[in-house]
Amino acid sequence: MPVLNSKPALVGLPRPALAQALGEAGLAGYRAGQVYRWLYVRGAQTFDEMTDLPRRDRAALAERFTLARPGVSDERISVDGSRKWLLRLADGGEIETVYIPEADRGTLCVSSQIGCTLTCRFCHTGTQRLVRNLDAGEIVGQILHARDIFGEWSGRAAPLTDRGRHVSNIVLMGMGEPLYNFDNVKAAMAVATDGDGLAISKRRITLSTAGVVPAMDRCGDEIGVNLAVSLHAVTDELRDELVPLNRKYPLKELMAACRRYPTASNVRRITFEYVMLAGVNDSPAEARALARLIAGIPAKVNLIPFNPWPGSPYECSTPEAVQRFSDILAAAGYTSPVRTPRGRDILAACGQLKSASRRVTARERREAERAREHAVLEEAQ
Ligand code: SAH
């Protein structure tokens, strides 16, 4: 059993809250900047490392707070270089974080919730039992974990790759719906983008949503990162089925929110994600309808080959169908890179590693489904 650490975490606190926490521990106000840099520039994992703080202050902090990172329940490294971690949080909850190296960047795919309430029919995370929001520290903790793994901290021999940092980009595309955990995601992104700390540019962060329309406006105004929208269908009829959230925020409202999104300029385009499901949403007519639906929005379309999981009700489109779909979008002026499946050998699809770590009984699954339906209904009210 993991040893549970009940002390509050310092990681993830916005600066004023950090200053206040330190004040309560008896530290002078100006120490907050020092501690902040230890946390996010040097990646300190113990208070003892903070050698420019008086010993007394370090002891006071250690007594009250923890700097513990999430534990690693499982780690898989793919032949293609991607890595997937099952991380264990202080309360024993588990989340997935995935690292994907590419030629010009290294992208960390971060979770925002344990499980998810949305029950998208093709998504494995939607079949999982426990659901809770991650706090800001748990979201930031995933970034710190990846930086620890690559030794990417100032003051240590941080081996930069020839394309720069290992962890150069963040996508909020892991488990959960980030816009249903707005405040914690916002606080975590404030820490991630702070130039005096982790210093990851907002332009290098993309938040993916299934389409929580009112929160999309707030996301643009208050978080200011790039937006990806999980579209997956071009009619309400099909989208109601694939992404049940569509019943609450139908396509018309969703597309209007996309058109309003403040970063929807040519420089920062909205990404429309479209999972390719054989015989379900992959016809040439649907490709043409998609181009019409997003007409006028500075956008790119990310065609995602469906990643099957045991018992999943769909199959991935054929490579020919994907290519045809992509060609039609290209002819309409939309770049539509086909997302190369990464880490298939390490169960990199959403939620798979977590499920592999524990067999869920049929009864638990039914209970979970009932709980989620309940949650979705409550959301809908
Ligand atoms: N809730 C957010 C973010 C998490 S899902 C959202 O819906 O956007 C991240 C992306 O992975 C989404 O586009 C989702 O539709 C896609 N996805 C989920 N399961 C998948 C699977 N089995 N195969 C391919 N893509 C999947």
Side-chain angles (χ1 to χ4, degrees), residues 116 118 120 122-124 172-178 208-211 228-230 232 273-275 304-309 339 349-350 352:
C116 189
L118 291 182
C120 298
F122 52 85
C123 178
H124 201 226
L172 284 151
M173 287 185 192
M175 299 166 70
E177 170 48 54
S208 177
T209 181
V229 174
S230 294
H232 307 319
E273 295 159 283
Y274 197 96
V275 64
I304 315 172
F306 171 61
N307 212 338
W309 33 275
R339 192 185 288 175
C350 243
Q352 286 196 357

Side-chain angles (χ1 to χ4, degrees), residues 282-315:
D282 63 349
S283 70
E286 281 161 310
R288 286 189 290 273
L290 174 55
R292 283 195 299 275
L293 190 65
I294 63 177
I297 302 178
K300 62 183 167 209
V301 180
N302 205 332
L303 299 178
I304 315 172
F306 171 61
N307 212 338
W309 33 275
S312 57
Y314 301 109
E315 278 172 31

Side-chain angles (χ1 to χ4, degrees), residues 102-255:
E102 287 172 280
D104 61 341
R105 69 187 67 179
T107 303
L108 191 70
C109 178
V110 167
S111 292
S112 57
Q113 298 181 310
I114 298 183
C116 189
T117 56
L118 291 182
T119 61
C120 298
R121 288 216 42 205
F122 52 85
C123 178
H124 201 226
T125 303
T127 66
Q128 288 171 8
R129 188 167 184 224
L130 285 173
V131 181
R132 79 163 168 85
N133 282 336
L134 299 187
D135 66 30
E138 291 167 333
I139 298 170
V140 174
Q142 297 170 67
I143 305 174
L144 303 190
H145 165 75
R147 287 231 170 139
D148 289 343
I149 292 283
F150 296 115
E152 208 153 61
W153 296 112
S154 158
R156 311 222 172 111
L160 284 181
T161 63
D162 48 10
R163 55 178 158 68
R165 285 175 178 173
H166 280 89
V167 184
S168 63
N169 291 52
I170 305 285
V171 291
L172 284 151
M173 287 185 192
M175 299 166 70
E177 170 48 54
L179 294 186
Y180 272 163
N181 186 14
F182 192 91
D183 292 341
N184 291 320
V185 166
K186 177 180 166 179
M189 292 306 104
V191 170
T193 55
D194 186 337
D196 292 335
L198 291 171
I200 300 169
S201 157
K202 286 183 181 182
R203 290 171 180 277
R204 290 182 171 273
I205 301 180
T206 300
L207 181 151
S208 177
T209 181
V212 186
V213 164
M216 285 165 66
D217 290 325
R218 286 189 65 202
C219 178
D221 294 340
E222 299 175 33
I223 308 181
V225 293
N226 298 314
L227 188 69
V229 174
S230 294
L231 196 58
H232 307 319
V234 292
T235 62
D236 280 323
E237 194 190 357
L238 181 59
R239 197 164 188 271
D240 280 353
E241 188 188 320
L242 297 180
V243 184
L245 183 67
N246 194 68
R247 296 173 204 163
K248 189 167 182 197
Y249 304 113
L251 279 172
K252 192 158 177 263
E253 289 177 32
L254 177 62
M255 299 318 292

